[in-house]
Amino acid sequence: MPLTLTVSTPGDPPAESDHSFDVDRVTIGRGGESTLVLPDTKRVVSKEHAAVIRSGPGYDLLDLGSKNLTFLNGEALEAGRAYPLASGDTFTIGDFSLRCVVRADPEVERTMFDGGFINPFLDDAAVLGATLRSMAKTYDLQPTARRDDAIVEAIEAAIAQADEGPGSPVLRLVANTFSGGAPSPAAAPAAPAARSVAGGERVREPMLEAMLRALARALAIPQRFRHEFIGQTIIQGPEASPMFSGDAQALRRHLADDEIDDQEAGRRAERLQEAADTLALHHVALLEGYRASVREGSSNLLQSLDPSVPPEGQPGFLEKVLPFLRKLRAADDAGRRWREQRDEDWAVAERRIFRPAFIKAYLQRAEPDERRAGDTGSAVRRLSRRRDDDD
């Protein structure tokens, strides 16, 4: 039964974020190994503070021996004791308030990071890509005075024929993909604006928007990967959340806020650099996780199929008298394990055999000591050197 925790993060004003889980155990704390990480600079929250554990059709809440306690609906919990957690209950950890919602009818979803996910839109997107390439060639051949209006009219007519108005979710998502904002097909095309940058160069507005969209999406990749592939959720405070939201407009407002002073602008620039370093660390960690999953996963797989592994159970009378019978049973057991492995869903086998080693190596590389101390730049350089040494 899926569980959603709505976390209220301290701030002025406080920020709320929803985090959904469909696992048997969700650990909560400020440590990087927790399933749900609470960024507590005051260190009131323990590294492993509490856990929400599946219990039959519902969930229980446990305090894991924290120093500053866990409070459920205002009541302090006894460490190690399971307390039933109902939908709508609120529990407090340090300055963080977490509201529980349990969905009664779970949906079976596969994400883009799930090995078994097959994107159902690939064929249609390929047709769309071919159409866009054809339109681009036609656009280049038309007179500049009319071609912008003509392409807008053609798209409006196609949308009308498809009975997809401006409120269509598909149209909205497509428009957001290309423009970073809400669709407005009827708006007249505006002349590309330009902004001044250092050195007096001019950057056209469409180019600036494209760069912001690319940056916003890239910065959001590590957190999205951790949530969907590893099952770990990291909550960012309100001062850093625009860096990782994937929303180009939110990132633009955050970085180009005219009302902040130079000191705050400097802090935001530092956080942007830290987010970029996190992205660089993510790619290095992906490679290390891949290597570990191939190395350790293959070793575990071959070991599980090794016919020299003694068979399960104690040897019987005949096996004690005729030892070769025990070897035959070991070979039969190895054949059975091979058939089970062959018939097993490959996505399940990946999670069981290869993913644990990947996650362990990924987290070790993505969170080195230098990064926890704040020196992400040196962490990137060190990881790069270690990668070269491994090669």
Side-chain angles (χ1 to χ4, degrees):
M1 183 175 296
L3 167 75
T4 298
L5 295 176
T6 300
V7 181
S8 295
T9 305
D12 187 17
E16 284 194 351
S17 55
D18 293 335
H19 307 275
S20 297
F21 307 92
D22 192 8
V23 293
D24 292 336
R25 181 182 177 91
V26 177
T27 56
I28 306 169
R30 62 178 172 83
E33 299 298 325
S34 296
T35 312
L36 179 59
V37 180
L38 302 179
D40 179 30
T41 57
K42 299 178 181 178
R43 304 177 74 85
V44 175
V45 179
S46 300
K47 289 184 178 180
E48 290 190 352
H49 196 107
V52 177
I53 300 177
R54 196 192 302 270
S55 177
Y59 289 88
D60 289 340
L61 176 64
L62 281 80
D63 182 277
L64 301 178
S66 64
K67 293 183 179 179
N68 296 296
L69 305 181
T70 303
F71 297 85
L72 175 58
N73 297 326
E75 176 187 354
L77 304 188
E78 178 184 338
R81 176 184 169 188
Y83 291 78
L85 191 61
S87 187
D89 282 348
T90 298
F91 59 97
T92 304
I93 297 177
D95 293 333
F96 297 86
S97 176
L98 298 91
R99 186 173 68 253
C100 168
V101 176
V102 180
R103 293 204 303 264
D105 297 317
E107 293 182 0
V108 178
E109 291 186 0
R110 288 183 179 267
T111 69
M112 63 177 291
F113 292 114
D114 192 320
F117 176 78
I118 300 176
N119 195 324
F121 299 104
L122 288 177
D123 291 341
D124 290 336
V127 174
L128 176 61
T131 301
L132 290 174
R133 288 191 294 271
S134 176
M135 292 176 69
K137 293 179 181 179
T138 305
Y139 180 88
D140 290 338
L141 298 175
Q142 304 307 308
T144 57
R146 176 60 182 160
R147 61 186 183 183
D148 286 357
D149 290 335
I151 197 169
V152 170
E153 291 174 2
I155 293 174
E156 287 178 342
I159 292 172
Q161 292 176 1
D163 292 328
E164 292 285 345
S168 162
V170 174
L171 178 59
R172 186 185 71 253
L173 289 171
V174 171
N176 285 337
T177 299
F178 288 102
S179 70
S184 54
R195 287 176 174 256
S196 297
V197 295
E201 294 103 345
R202 307 284 285 175
V203 178
R204 291 187 179 276
E205 191 69 18
M207 183 62 69
L208 180 61
E209 288 293 330
M211 290 189 293
L212 281 170
R213 287 198 303 272
L215 178 61
R217 292 173 185 170
L219 295 181
I221 286 174
Q223 284 201 172
R224 183 179 179 187
F225 175 81
R226 284 185 178 226
H227 179 70
E228 297 189 356
F229 189 80
I230 299 178
Q232 182 186 61
T233 300
I234 300 177
I235 300 176
Q236 299 292 342
E239 73 283 353
S241 58
M243 301 287 186
F244 304 97
S245 65
D247 186 340
Q249 298 305 317
L251 180 62
R252 179 173 187 160
R253 289 192 298 269
H254 185 70
L255 297 178
D257 190 348
D258 294 333
E259 298 182 358
I260 60 174
D261 56 25
D262 291 343
Q263 186 176 9
E264 175 60 22
R267 285 194 292 266
R268 294 188 182 187
E270 290 177 1
R271 288 193 289 267
L272 179 61
Q273 181 61 57
E274 291 172 0
D277 289 339
T278 298
L279 179 62
L281 286 166
H282 167 72
H283 289 294
V284 176
L286 282 177
L287 177 59
E288 182 60 22
Y290 168 77
R291 288 173 171 171
S293 67
V294 172
R295 182 176 58 248
E296 298 179 29
S298 299
S299 176
N300 293 337
L301 178 61
L302 293 174
Q303 186 175 0
S304 69
L305 303 177
D306 187 353
S308 66
V309 175
E312 299 177 358
Q314 297 297 323
F317 173 76
L318 288 179
E319 289 181 346
K320 292 180 179 179
V321 176
L322 302 172
F324 74 90
L325 293 178
R326 185 167 175 79
K327 294 182 178 180
L328 289 176
R329 187 156 70 91
D332 288 341
D333 285 352
R336 172 181 54 78
R337 292 193 298 271
W338 177 84
R339 288 188 294 273
E340 290 174 351
Q341 183 64 51
R342 178 197 61 190
D343 298 336
E344 185 178 23
D345 186 316
W346 73 270
V348 175
E350 182 271 327
R351 288 191 183 93
R352 180 173 59 85
I353 298 174
F354 295 97
R355 191 173 298 196
F358 176 95
I359 292 176
K360 180 179 178 181
Y362 174 90
L363 291 177
Q364 287 177 344
R365 281 292 175 104
E367 296 185 356
D369 293 338
E370 296 96 325
R371 184 183 178 199
R372 287 195 289 268
D375 185 6
T376 53
S378 63
V380 173
R381 292 190 292 272
R382 178 175 172 181
L383 290 176
S384 298
R385 288 198 299 270
R386 290 162 71 181
R387 180 189 61 184
D388 295 339
D389 293 342
D390 290 344
D391 291 339

